[in-house]
Amino acid sequence: MAQEEGGSLSEARARVGALHGITDLAQKLLFYDRWALDYDQDVAALQYRAPRLAVDCLMQALPGPPNAALILDVACGTGLVAAELQARGFLQLHGVDGSPAMLEQARARGLYQHLSLCTLGQEPLPSSEGTFDAVLMVGALSDGQVPCSAIPELLRVTKPVSSSVRWGCSGGLVCLTTRTNPSNLRYKEALEATLDRLEQAGAWERVVAWPVDQWELATSELELVPGTSNSDGFISGIIYLYRKQKAAQVEGGRPSPQSPAGL
């Protein structure tokens, strides 16, 4: 495990470890409210790399200038993804999150044009169908957070082929991340089954699935996998990038009748 400095790493590990142990969504949102002021320093202590890596992945698939893209950051938290997007030239940023206190921190960054309170999985996203050129959800796909059944809602608000012609691409992009450490493997399996069903139904096509060894520092020895590169104290994760297809018409969080893949 990495050497601790000044107690900040041990405190961050304790908080993140406690978060992972909460499976009730309401309780998890309350935890995020209490955590909001310390969140950025904690994830920095854990060397959390997902926001930067997810935006890097998205950038590689964009055929047009970033300042022309309308982006939705789902489960935006304090705005770490927006900071990475803004640094790469993205200017049109919308965000949603289920924690009012996290949204306050995101608003203070001054990077979003619009922020909304929304608990994905319990209510629809506050946007019309086919609104965004790209949708990202970084760090919220695990037990007790966003359920796999909410994935089609991300597709619903993503622009289809006809709305993305100016980009010269075949549809809007959806970027998702999850951890691949031992305690999250059951969720990852369910998530990938959902992603695959949507692809088989023609709702989207996979652009890339990018495994990452050094995702963030582990919160306990139990999260490490003996005999792998994770012995340096890091857990692993994965980034998925999909492109919405023309046939995809996703309404109310479910594929349309022409799509055989109900979730």
Side-chain angles (χ1 to χ4, degrees), residues 178-247:
T178 196
R179 294 176 286 112
T180 57
N181 55 306
S183 66
N184 200 50
L185 290 180
R186 184 170 63 176
Y187 182 92
K188 175 179 176 286
E189 181 179 351
L191 174 63
E192 291 190 336
T194 299
L195 304 181
D196 290 346
R197 283 196 294 269
L198 286 167
E199 186 168 25
Q200 291 164 11
W204 61 13
E205 65 175 358
R206 179 180 288 185
V207 178
V208 68
W210 177 20
V212 177
D213 286 337
Q214 293 189 335
W215 193 255
E216 65 180 348
L217 289 172
T219 58
S220 76
E221 297 285 353
L222 296 176
E223 294 300 303
L224 302 179
V225 181
T228 72
S229 60
N230 292 346
S231 60
D232 57 6
F234 284 86
I235 63 169
S236 56
I238 188 167
I239 301 168
Y240 307 96
L241 188 65
Y242 285 84
R243 179 172 285 122
K244 185 173 180 177
Q245 297 301 287
K246 184 175 182 179

Side-chain angles (χ1 to χ4, degrees), residues 4 7 58 61 80 115 169-170 231:
E4 299 180 7
L58 178 67
L80 294 178
L115 286 166
C169 69
S170 61
S231 60

Side-chain angles (χ1 to χ4, degrees), residues 2-245:
Q3 184 177 2
E4 299 180 7
E5 297 182 3
S8 62
L9 181 53
S10 62
E11 293 169 1
R13 281 194 169 119
R15 275 190 279 262
V16 174
L19 174 72
H20 291 170
I22 301 172
T23 57
D24 177 77
L25 178 58
Q27 292 299 313
K28 186 156 283 190
L29 289 174
L30 287 174
F31 187 99
Y32 275 116
D33 278 339
R34 295 191 297 266
W35 192 18
L37 290 175
D38 296 318
Y39 181 83
D40 286 4
Q41 68 183 36
D42 282 355
V43 296
L46 289 167
Q47 301 181 47
Y48 181 53
R49 305 172 67 214
R52 177 173 60 82
L53 295 175
V55 174
D56 284 346
C57 187
L58 178 67
M59 282 290 295
Q60 293 176 22
L62 284 177
N67 63 353
L70 182 60
I71 307 294
L72 178 63
D73 181 8
V74 180
C76 64
T78 63
L80 294 178
V81 170
E84 296 291 346
L85 288 165
Q86 191 269 345
R88 290 161 178 77
F90 291 92
L91 303 177
Q92 302 181 65
L93 307 178
H94 290 207
V96 299
D97 198 89
S99 163
M102 286 284 185
L103 285 175
E104 287 181 15
Q105 298 302 309
R107 188 170 288 108
R109 271 191 154 91
L111 300 177
Y112 294 96
Q113 281 67 58
H114 191 268
L115 286 166
S116 301
L117 182 66
C118 175
T119 305
L120 190 59
Q122 295 188 351
E123 55 188 327
L125 289 168
S127 300
S128 301
E129 181 176 345
T131 298
F132 298 97
D133 294 297
V135 176
L136 297 95
M137 184 159 58
V138 178
L141 290 170
S142 63
D143 281 332
Q145 298 199 80
V146 177
C148 299
S149 59
I151 298 298
E153 182 64 4
L154 306 180
L155 260 173
R156 181 185 67 81
V157 302
T158 304
K159 289 182 178 179
V161 173
S162 59
S163 299
S164 297
V165 171
R166 74 178 190 279
W167 270 17
C169 69
S170 61
L173 296 166
V174 181
C175 183
L176 311 169
T177 75
T178 196
R179 294 176 286 112
T180 57
N181 55 306
S183 66
N184 200 50
L185 290 180
R186 184 170 63 176
Y187 182 92
K188 175 179 176 286
E189 181 179 351
L191 174 63
E192 291 190 336
T194 299
L195 304 181
D196 290 346
R197 283 196 294 269
L198 286 167
E199 186 168 25
Q200 291 164 11
W204 61 13
E205 65 175 358
R206 179 180 288 185
V207 178
V208 68
W210 177 20
V212 177
D213 286 337
Q214 293 189 335
W215 193 255
E216 65 180 348
L217 289 172
T219 58
S220 76
E221 297 285 353
L222 296 176
E223 294 300 303
L224 302 179
V225 181
T228 72
S229 60
N230 292 346
S231 60
D232 57 6
F234 284 86
I235 63 169
S236 56
I238 188 167
I239 301 168
Y240 307 96
L241 188 65
Y242 285 84
R243 179 172 285 122
K244 185 173 180 177
Q245 297 301 287

